[in-house]
């Protein structure tokens, strides 16, 4: 089964549809519509095998969390390699699912470290800000739930207790 999966993963690409990207070209390629049945290490190795012919790969980030499942980031050393990969691999059948590719919205930490613009403090601040926003949304949802109108039976019961 492993050999079949890798053969499927490394099969010749089909004619790719015209690549239209909402994001500006970057070294980092966002890969979506990945199989969720493949374990994390095998997925990273397979992604490396498929994308390595386009140029040097710095990093592959793949998570199995609910929020990030079926997604990965492939970080190339330069933009032309990433552009070539996006153009040629769009719709490529990878583990029996057509990959969807786009450029990442933001610069990856790996490329920022290479060009010297990586700031750990900025990342920590960004993480703290996102965490605070998430907590704020949770607190707002709890307040809305508490302030939601009561069912008619609950109102009647409250009125009887007050009397």
């Amino acid at each position: 089964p492993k050999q079949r999966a890798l053969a499927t993963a490394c099969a010749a690409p089909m004619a790719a549809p015209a690549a239209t990207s909402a994001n500006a070209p970057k070294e980092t390629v966002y890969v979506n519509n990945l199989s969720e049945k493949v374990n994390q290490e095998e997925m990273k190795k397979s992604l490396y095998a498929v994308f390595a012919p386009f140029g040097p790969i710095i990093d592959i980030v793949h998570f199995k969390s609910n929020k990030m499942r079926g997604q990965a980031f492939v970080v190339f050393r330069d933009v032309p390699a990433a552009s070539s990969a996006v153009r040629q691999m769009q719709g490529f059948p990878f583990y029996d699912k057509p990959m969807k590719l786009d450029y990442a919205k933001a610069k990856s930490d790996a490329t920022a470290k290479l060009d010297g613009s990586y700031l750990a403090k900025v990342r920590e601040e960004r993480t703290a800000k996102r965490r605070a926003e998430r907590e704020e949304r949770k607190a707002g949802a709890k307040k809305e739930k508490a302030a939601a109108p009561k069912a008619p039976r609950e109102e009647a019961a409250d009125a009887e207790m007050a009397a």
Side-chain angles (χ1 to χ4, degrees):
K2 245 184 187 178
Q3 289 175 333
R4 183 184 170 274
L6 192 55
T8 301
C10 297
M14 296 185 309
T20 56
S21 175
N23 302 318
K26 289 188 183 53
E27 295 91 344
T28 306
V29 175
Y30 169 70
V31 185
N32 194 1
N33 200 32
L34 296 173
S35 175
E36 298 165 19
K37 297 175 183 173
V38 181
N39 73 42
Q40 191 169 1
E41 279 307 307
E42 187 175 335
M43 180 61 76
K44 280 187 170 186
K45 288 177 184 174
S46 298
L47 285 168
Y48 188 87
V50 168
F51 286 102
F54 296 100
I57 296 174
I58 298 171
D59 193 15
I60 294 178
V61 180
H62 175 257
F63 299 109
K64 292 285 276 194
S65 67
N66 282 341
K67 186 177 178 183
M68 291 296 296
R69 69 175 185 235
Q71 304 170 62
F73 293 92
V74 179
V75 184
F76 288 92
R77 185 171 300 282
D78 54 23
V79 176
S83 297
S84 178
V86 168
R87 272 194 318 274
Q88 295 180 33
M89 297 301 287
Q90 193 68 257
F92 178 78
F94 189 69
Y95 289 105
D96 300 325
K97 290 181 82 175
M99 284 194 291
K100 296 178 184 174
L101 291 105
D102 197 359
Y103 300 104
K105 291 180 181 177
K107 181 184 267 190
S108 71
D109 289 346
T111 54
K113 285 176 184 176
L114 275 180
D115 67 17
S117 64
Y118 178 76
L119 299 171
K121 185 178 178 183
V122 172
R123 180 175 183 185
E124 291 169 10
E125 289 172 357
R126 188 173 57 233
T127 303
K129 180 181 175 187
R130 287 180 183 157
R131 188 175 297 126
E133 288 171 352
R134 198 172 323 128
E135 294 299 323
E136 197 174 288
R137 282 194 302 268
K138 283 182 184 178
K142 285 181 183 178
K143 284 181 184 177
E144 287 178 18
K145 193 173 187 179
K150 294 182 180 179
R153 280 189 268 167
E154 291 178 21
E155 288 177 0
D158 287 347
E160 286 178 17
M161 289 178 77

